[in-house]
Amino acid sequence: MRIYISGAITGTDDYMDRFAKVEKRLTKAGYTVYNPANANSYMPERTTYEQYMKISFCLLEMAEAIYMLKGWENSKGANREYGYALGRKMKIFMEDDAW
């Protein structure tokens, strides 16, 4: 199953580490993982928020499921991704759930 990681990036300092830890755990569990934090790290410095979101939605569109990191509710982008996943009737996993 292809799974997309969603969570707060803007305004956080540790997002690369948080996303990488979850990516490692999900990969070990057999998932194909789309990590937008990793993908966004390759973008030019002048990339706008909406351009980052465009890339994120391209990745999310390829996924079958979404994994919501703790605190996603406080992220405008993660809320947009969650709504998109709901609309597509994707499988939704929460980090707070037992894994």
Side-chain angles (χ1 to χ4, degrees), residues 5 9 11 17-18 20-21 23-24 26 30 34-35 39 41 47-48 56 67 69-70 73 96-98:
I5 303 170
I9 292 178
D17 185 50
R18 287 184 297 111
K21 284 180 183 176
E23 178 181 11
K24 186 176 180 179
L26 292 172
Y34 297 109
N35 179 346
S41 72
T47 304
T48 67
S56 295
Y67 184 94
L69 294 174
K70 291 178 187 172
E73 303 92 338
D96 293 332
D97 295 343

Side-chain angles (χ1 to χ4, degrees), residues 34-49:
Y34 297 109
N35 179 346
N38 189 40
N40 289 347
S41 72
Y42 293 99
M43 298 306 298
E45 193 173 307
R46 291 181 184 237
T47 304
T48 67
Y49 169 81

Side-chain angles (χ1 to χ4, degrees), residues 42-60:
Y42 293 99
M43 298 306 298
E45 193 173 307
R46 291 181 184 237
T47 304
T48 67
Y49 169 81
E50 285 303 323
Q51 289 169 328
Y52 283 122
M53 289 306 300
K54 189 173 190 177
I55 290 168
S56 295
F57 278 106
C58 285
L59 295 172
L60 183 54

Side-chain angles (χ1 to χ4, degrees), residues 7-93:
I9 292 178
T10 303
T12 64
D13 295 328
D14 65 341
Y15 70 90
M16 288 296 288
D17 185 50
R18 287 184 297 111
F19 277 70
K21 284 180 183 176
V22 170
E23 178 181 11
K24 186 176 180 179
R25 187 168 67 237
L26 292 172
T27 300
K28 191 173 183 178
Y31 292 96
T32 298
V33 180
Y34 297 109
N35 179 346
N38 189 40
N40 289 347
S41 72
Y42 293 99
M43 298 306 298
E45 193 173 307
R46 291 181 184 237
T47 304
T48 67
Y49 169 81
E50 285 303 323
Q51 289 169 328
Y52 283 122
M53 289 306 300
K54 189 173 190 177
I55 290 168
S56 295
F57 278 106
C58 285
L59 295 172
L60 183 54
E61 187 176 311
M62 293 186 289
E64 300 163 291
I66 190 169
Y67 184 94
M68 307 303 298
L69 294 174
K70 291 178 187 172
W72 70 270
E73 303 92 338
N74 302 316
S75 166
K76 180 176 126 181
N79 272 278
R80 290 171 63 183
E81 293 164 347
Y82 179 77
Y84 181 84
L86 282 175
R88 286 192 54 216
K89 295 180 174 42
M90 296 172 72
K91 178 78 175 160
I92 299 173
F93 298 103

